[in-house]
Amino acid sequence: MKWYHVIRYGNPVANPYVADEGDLMGVDEEDLWGGTPINNWNVKAWIKASTPDRDGEPDDTLQSYLHPPIYSTRLRKVLEAAGITGIQWLPLHVMRSDGTEIPGYSIANIVNLVEGALDLERSDYDVYPPDYFLPERVGKVRGIRIPVLRAEKLKGLDIVRLAEAKAAFYVSERFKVAFEQAHCTGHSFNGVEVVEGQA
């Protein structure tokens, strides 16, 4: 199966809504791209466009200051109908600058965190240098320029974060086809190489 790196704000509407402030009510944003379920989610969590010039049309994948993806109910239904799993849906209040709410959005917390799916021999990436100020990160993946994924680690999955580099996420062809056939907006997809076995 083909796999893709998600460009989070690719393919937007002409004048997109952009949230630039909010409150996750005690949840650390970094926990929302750690690949683990959130057990203490507060349904009062919110984001907001602070000025009228940011009050555009909301995409199916909202533009916001937060790193994790925020998906519409329409997109959620599309993905669920396609059998896409591995997402914890965390309801989120989305507000315009005048305080009116745009209903039906949730943070898509990706809970498939896969160890060993990044082929370290074939991928092009940087690591944290020996003098990095957080010693526990020295030698670990800092950024990926060209990812190569290992097929055997992706079997049965359609959306993943990589344990070696959690910030980005990757989706299967099934996810991409479902998204595009429904004419959803706010993501584009770059194909990545997937290989069998070790280098």
Side-chain angles (χ1 to χ4, degrees):
M1 182 184 292
K2 294 180 180 178
W3 277 77
Y4 300 85
H5 173 226
V6 175
I7 309 304
R8 291 193 305 139
Y9 301 142
N11 184 40
V13 295
N15 179 34
Y17 169 91
V18 181
D20 58 337
E21 62 183 28
D23 188 347
L24 298 182
M25 301 292 176
V27 171
D28 188 330
E29 181 194 343
E30 193 165 333
D31 291 337
L32 295 170
W33 44 282
T36 56
I38 302 297
N39 297 318
N40 60 332
W41 185 251
N42 189 327
V43 296
K44 295 181 179 179
W46 59 274
I47 59 173
K48 184 179 179 180
S50 64
T51 57
D53 63 299
R54 297 177 183 267
D55 281 333
E57 179 185 350
D59 281 295
D60 289 292
T61 67
L62 281 190
Q63 295 192 35
S64 85
Y65 72 98
L66 296 173
H67 185 83
I70 300 169
Y71 289 170
S72 67
T73 297
R74 182 173 89 97
L75 178 52
R76 176 178 178 173
K77 289 178 178 178
V78 165
L79 297 178
E80 290 177 340
I84 307 298
T85 60
I87 297 173
Q88 179 192 23
W89 299 99
L90 303 172
L92 187 68
H93 296 282
V94 176
M95 316 298 286
R96 295 194 181 277
S97 61
D98 63 2
T100 59
E101 184 165 356
I102 305 169
Y105 280 86
S106 299
I107 290 176
N109 182 31
I110 300 161
V111 296
N112 291 331
L113 183 66
V114 183
E115 184 84 37
L118 181 67
D119 190 309
L120 296 175
E121 297 299 320
R122 296 181 173 100
S123 299
D124 182 9
Y125 59 93
D126 292 318
V127 297
Y128 289 98
D131 59 350
Y132 192 67
F133 75 100
L134 296 174
E136 65 273 15
R137 294 190 182 179
V138 170
K140 294 183 178 179
V141 175
R142 182 175 191 168
I144 304 173
R145 285 183 292 272
I146 303 175
V148 178
L149 304 182
R150 295 172 57 200
E152 69 272 17
K153 296 293 185 177
L154 302 173
K155 292 187 188 304
L157 303 175
D158 289 294
I159 183 169
V160 300
R161 290 191 187 276
L162 306 179
E164 297 84 358
K166 298 176 183 177
F169 65 99
Y170 301 83
V171 299
S172 70
E173 188 169 23
R174 288 204 317 143
F175 184 110
K176 177 178 181 287
V177 168
F179 188 98
E180 291 178 342
Q181 285 186 344
H183 304 289
C184 292
T185 61
H187 277 346
S188 60
F189 305 90
N190 279 349
V192 299
E193 184 179 359
V194 179
V195 296
E196 299 285 349
Q198 298 280 2

